[in-house]
Amino acid sequence: MSELILPLCVVGAALLVIAFWAVSVYNGLVASRNRVKNAFSQIDVQLQRRHDLIPNLVETAKGFLKHERETLQAVTEAREAARAAANAAAADPTAAGAMAKLGAAEGLLGSALAGLRVVVEAYPNLKSDAHMASLMEELSSTENKIAFARQAYNDSVMSYNTARETFPAALIAGAFGFSPCPQLEIETPEARRNVKVSF
């Protein structure tokens, strides 16, 4: 009987160590996934700020741009699509489809805003308007904050995905449904164009 107690204690201790390890890995994955969600919430704040600035920008431009209604309409429509995509992504920032749609919608919004900037440059009175200049400056600042927040989000996603893919944590991740998180890539046509340099 005493011969059985020692092996049972060793097996019990081994099972206890494995259980503590599994709980530790699981908790680490949960914490990492929550960091991803928190990082996305920072993007969401900046996107909301950007989306809230656009109506003021369009309203200010309307008085000056009587012949540029298509540009203003494109910005407004792109804003609404981006806002809907941001709301869907905020519901589950770990969903690959939602992130892809958000990236595409924000890319289209960026293109529409670039078109508006070109139009503003063509109208000296609008370009020199203090309210318009203030709105454009605030929009540029917000876009920089979005870029920083997106980088922090993508860094969190990379850390989470690395943690869930490494062995032996991959065993726990697979068993408990820790799926990979997508990065947020915002593509704009301008980013793909070749830069022309002339001397």
Side-chain angles (χ1 to χ4, degrees), residues 160-175:
Y160 166 76
N161 286 338
T162 300
R164 66 167 294 285
E165 292 171 5
T166 55
F167 183 81
L171 301 173
I172 301 295

Side-chain angles (χ1 to χ4, degrees), residues 93 95-96 99-100 103 150-151 153-159 161 180-186:
M99 280 300 129
R150 185 168 55 94
Q151 181 62 48
Y153 169 80
N154 286 341
D155 288 346
S156 295
V157 166
M158 186 183 70
S159 294
N161 286 338
C181 285
Q183 297 225 343
L184 177 58
E185 302 296 332
I186 299 176

